[in-house]
Amino acid sequence: MKFTIRHPYAIEPEPFWREVFFDHDYNEKLYKKGLEFEAFDIVEETSPPDGRKTRKVRVTPKIDAPAAIRKVLGDSVSYVEEGRLEVSGPNTPKWFSKVLPSKLADKTTIKAEMWLERTGPGQSDRVAEFEIEVKMFGVGGMVEKFLEKTMRESYQKAADYTNQWLRANGKAGS
């Protein structure tokens, strides 16, 4: 399954990557307040001199899954997101990430690419393209649809929170 999500941001791409995306305070508040995740931890982060960056985070989202999904996943799931920021190539900077779930990791592939497209002075669209595959006979498609729905909801919450954070921190329109 592949899908794309697009949301407007009140910031241009360069300041977003430079001042927001890797800001620890922003991320802590985004995950705990904006997304209401139960846990958020930056496991590792690197910043080589060539401008690329990597980050690994461990999170535990709250999940409100239908009974059939809870039967497969249980009541709680955490995951590790491993990502890297590439600074050369089309639509760069671009964030590439892979999600490693705590359950069914051997049956699940979740990959994403995210970038910002300038839409006007102080404005961008955050674009995220996802690829999800769950290899489980009989329920794989249902789990994929649940993951898509959950990601769409989370990315909307993240966009809403980020725009509020940008305004509150004097970064909107930069």
Side-chain angles (χ1 to χ4, degrees), residues 141-155:
M142 179 176 51
V143 175
E144 287 175 359
K145 287 178 183 164
F146 171 74
L147 290 172
E148 178 189 8
K149 176 183 177 287
T150 300
M151 289 176 145
R152 287 185 183 280
E153 290 169 355
S154 290
Y155 270 66

Side-chain angles (χ1 to χ4, degrees), residues 91-143:
N91 294 320
T92 55
K94 184 184 278 190
W95 181 250
F96 293 87
S97 63
K98 181 177 181 179
V99 172
L100 307 166
S102 60
K103 298 176 183 168
L104 306 174
D106 59 331
K107 297 176 178 3
T108 305
T109 302
I110 303 171
K111 296 179 184 177
E113 296 179 18
M114 184 182 80
W115 65 92
L116 271 72
E117 295 176 355
R118 186 177 186 276
T119 56
Q123 300 291 316
S124 297
D125 276 357
R126 179 199 55 196
V127 183
E129 292 181 345
F130 296 91
E131 181 180 334
I132 300 174
E133 184 177 16
V134 179
K135 296 177 185 173
M136 292 181 65
F137 182 74
V139 295
M142 179 176 51
V143 175

Side-chain angles (χ1 to χ4, degrees), residues 32-88:
K32 290 188 175 175
K33 290 183 179 179
L35 297 173
E36 301 176 339
F37 278 23
E38 295 174 9
F40 167 78
D41 183 44
I42 297 174
V43 176
E44 180 181 32
E45 195 169 88
T46 66
S47 297
D50 64 2
R52 294 178 305 124
K53 294 183 182 233
T54 67
R55 180 172 63 194
K56 183 187 294 188
V57 298
R58 182 177 298 115
V59 298
T60 305
K62 291 180 183 177
I63 59 170
D64 183 20
I69 301 286
R70 281 196 316 273
K71 190 177 268 189
V72 174
L73 298 178
D75 290 329
S76 177
V77 174
S78 62
Y79 63 86
V80 171
E81 178 187 273
E82 296 178 350
R84 74 181 190 284
L85 182 68
E86 292 293 331
V87 293
S88 61

